Amino acid sequence: MIADLLPVAWDWLDLAIRWFHVMAAVLWIGTSFYFIALDLGLRRPPGLPAGVDGEEWQVHGGGFYHVRKYMVAPDDLPEHLTWFKWESYATWLSGFALLVVVYYASPELYLLDPEIIDLDPGIAIAISLVSIVVGWLVYDLVCRSPLGGDDRLLMLVLYGILVLLAWGFAQVFPGRAAFVHLGAVTATIMSANVFMVIIPNQKVVTADLLAGRRPDPKYGRIARQRSTHNNYLTLPVLLLMLSNHYPLAFATGYSWIIASLVFLVGVLIRIYFNRVHERRGHLVWPWILAAALFCVIVWLSTMPSALTGTAVSRTVEHRRLAADPQFAAVTEIVVDRCSMCHSREPLWEGMVAPPRGVVLETEDQLLRHARQVYLQSGRSRAMPPANLSAMDEEERLLIVNWYEAARH
């Protein structure tokens, strides 16, 4: 009885951790974006007290707020001081827990693909763990090197490292896992910036104040640099973590280039909002360039013409798909390769329900989910996961030809 309930409990554990992770991320991103906007929007009117870098008047919820920022620290430490750190820690811890529950607990489904490289599950998990740790160490080392004194050059070097990581993950993991691990390394850098640099630097300043010493301004400068990095990395991480729902992003031939371009799109969007927060107007070029890069991403994903052509009603589409001479062969392929999971009673051990409720046991069910089958198994290699049922290229091509022929 307990053994029968274990898969159900595990699935609910996945949902609970995922929900907590999203809630923690919302809190962290919200406070991060707020303080970046606050910092960029500070005004410096005459008559500010000594040591105050700027101030801001804000209104929210029917009340007015007067906020001041000190360049280093106030002369006296206030009795009540709010530290913003637990949002970051909770996000990383829940994200790592989700990595364990989804990827480490079922590596054969999500972490391995023998057609990319034949790895033992233990080795794949070890690569995952080492890459997360080494990613942070390399980033931190570069920031502490002489390159750290030139923000623009530093950002270019760090971007090159991210591109290299994107390519490396694509040589080891299937697309879904490659995207998630690139996001995990980036998120680790962001959270470690808070845990290893920003908060410790603030504690040094606090200790100096309590001891009656004047804090060194370098601690504030370093913390601000890391906070700025977090600001520009947030949006790309969000897309990478959401991408597992979109195989045209992660499961196509140029997925590592797509992942690399995602960082540029995210940076461009943040450039726009940072400029607005500085009250320097609304730039148009970041959106134009971001849109152009997004079009490149779409092109790289080999987005099918069927998705941009003339709309066809669902009834007519189903009639054409069913009438196509290849329909019987495609149905046989799907039932043979997909129904081990996508059936009312999945045959895969530990799976109690078909993923996303998609059942592929009959012709009618195939017609209902034809577009998903086409995208997940034809235009991309997202399904079957790790190609566990050994769908070959000829079968994928047949699915593509069947769907596209019926759409025109």
Side-chain angles (χ1 to χ4, degrees):
M1 180 66 177
I2 295 178
D4 293 336
L5 292 175
L6 184 60
V8 176
W10 195 261
D11 211 45
W12 277 107
L13 178 64
D14 181 348
L15 175 59
I17 296 174
R18 196 177 299 269
W19 189 15
F20 182 85
H21 182 55
V22 170
M23 289 189 294
V26 168
L27 292 172
W28 184 18
I29 293 168
T31 54
S32 174
F33 281 8
Y34 169 73
F35 279 105
I36 287 291
L38 175 64
D39 196 54
L40 293 174
L42 290 173
R43 292 176 178 252
R44 296 166 179 83
L48 286 177
V52 175
D53 183 44
E55 67 178 11
E56 173 82 338
W57 282 91
Q58 300 178 344
V59 60
H60 179 74
F64 290 87
Y65 299 81
H66 185 201
V67 185
R68 285 177 170 176
K69 177 184 177 181
Y70 287 79
M71 179 64 76
V72 180
D75 293 332
D76 298 309
L77 190 68
E79 292 183 8
H80 176 72
L81 188 62
T82 301
W83 294 78
F84 290 89
K85 56 183 179 179
W86 296 111
E87 302 92 338
S88 168
Y89 304 162
T91 302
W92 189 89
L93 290 171
S94 57
F96 183 76
L98 202 56
L99 191 67
V100 172
V101 168
V102 176
Y103 288 87
Y104 296 173
S106 302
E108 68 283 354
L109 277 176
Y110 302 112
L111 199 58
L112 302 174
D113 188 344
E115 295 187 10
I116 296 176
I117 184 171
D118 194 6
L119 288 176
D120 178 82
I123 293 177
I125 292 172
I127 291 174
S128 169
L129 291 169
V130 169
S131 66
I132 291 173
V133 175
V134 171
W136 155 252
L137 293 175
V138 170
Y139 163 82
D140 187 56
L141 182 64
V142 172
C143 287
R144 294 178 187 274
S145 73
L147 289 171
D150 186 331
D151 286 335
R152 292 184 178 180
L153 181 58
L154 176 63
M155 292 290 275
L156 287 174
V157 172
L158 293 176
Y159 177 67
I161 293 173
L162 287 173
V163 173
L164 186 61
L165 266 176
W167 177 83
F169 282 136
Q171 312 310 307
V172 178
F173 298 132
R176 190 195 311 266
F179 266 48
V180 166
H181 276 79
L182 184 60
V185 170
T186 309
T188 298
I189 288 171
M190 294 170 63
S191 193
N193 272 339
V194 177
F195 182 69
M196 304 289 287
V197 179
I198 297 173
I199 295 298
N201 282 16
Q202 290 176 339
K203 287 184 176 180
V204 169
V205 172
T206 302
D208 283 343
L209 286 172
L210 292 173
R213 297 187 297 267
R214 183 66 178 169
D216 191 331
K218 74 175 184 180
Y219 294 108
R221 287 197 300 269
I222 294 171
R224 178 177 175 137
Q225 183 186 64
R226 300 300 181 98
S227 182
T228 300
H229 292 173
N230 284 4
N231 175 41
Y232 285 111
L233 291 174
T234 300
L235 295 182
V237 169
L238 279 175
L239 190 141
L240 291 172
M241 294 311 190
L242 293 173
S243 66
N244 54 40
H245 300 291
Y246 300 94
L248 284 179
F250 69 76
T252 53
Y254 299 99
S255 59
W256 70 272
I257 301 179
I258 291 173
S260 302
L261 293 178
V262 162
F263 281 93
L264 296 181
V265 173
V267 166
L268 287 167
I269 295 172
R270 286 310 305 167
I271 286 174
Y272 167 81
F273 283 105
N274 289 345
R275 176 76 175 235
V276 171
H277 295 322
E278 288 180 297
R279 299 185 179 91
R280 296 172 62 189
H282 296 265
L283 296 177
V284 176
W285 68 264
W287 289 108
I288 295 175
L289 188 52
L293 288 176
F294 193 78
C295 289
V296 173
I297 289 173
V298 171
W299 176 70
L300 287 171
S301 74
T302 64
M303 185 174 182
S305 59
L307 298 182
T308 57
T310 304
V312 180
S313 73
R314 185 59 55 90
T315 303
V316 173
E317 177 184 308
H318 285 184
R319 192 179 302 129
R320 291 179 181 177
L321 290 169
D324 190 277
Q326 302 170 102
F327 179 49
V330 171
T331 302
E332 183 178 350
I333 291 170
V334 171
V335 171
D336 185 38
R337 306 299 190 192
C338 306
S339 62
M340 60 187 296
C341 295
H342 291 283
S343 61
R344 296 189 180 279
E345 296 182 359
L347 300 177
W348 187 263
E349 183 179 355
M351 189 174 291
V352 296
R356 298 194 185 182
V358 176
V359 178
L360 298 171
E361 296 179 307
T362 68
E363 292 182 348
D364 286 342
Q365 291 164 347
L366 171 57
L367 292 174
R368 190 177 309 125
H369 300 289
R371 181 175 178 275
Q372 292 168 276
V373 171
Y374 167 66
L375 292 176
Q376 301 266 2
S377 300
R379 276 295 179 177
S380 74
R381 298 175 54 85
M383 292 291 162
N387 203 22
L388 290 172
S389 58
M391 180 180 288
D392 60 42
E393 293 304 318
E394 288 74 16
E395 292 171 329
R396 295 184 190 275
L397 182 60
L398 185 60
I399 291 173
V400 170
N401 291 339
W402 162 70
Y403 187 84
E404 292 186 351
R407 291 277 298 182
H408 294 287

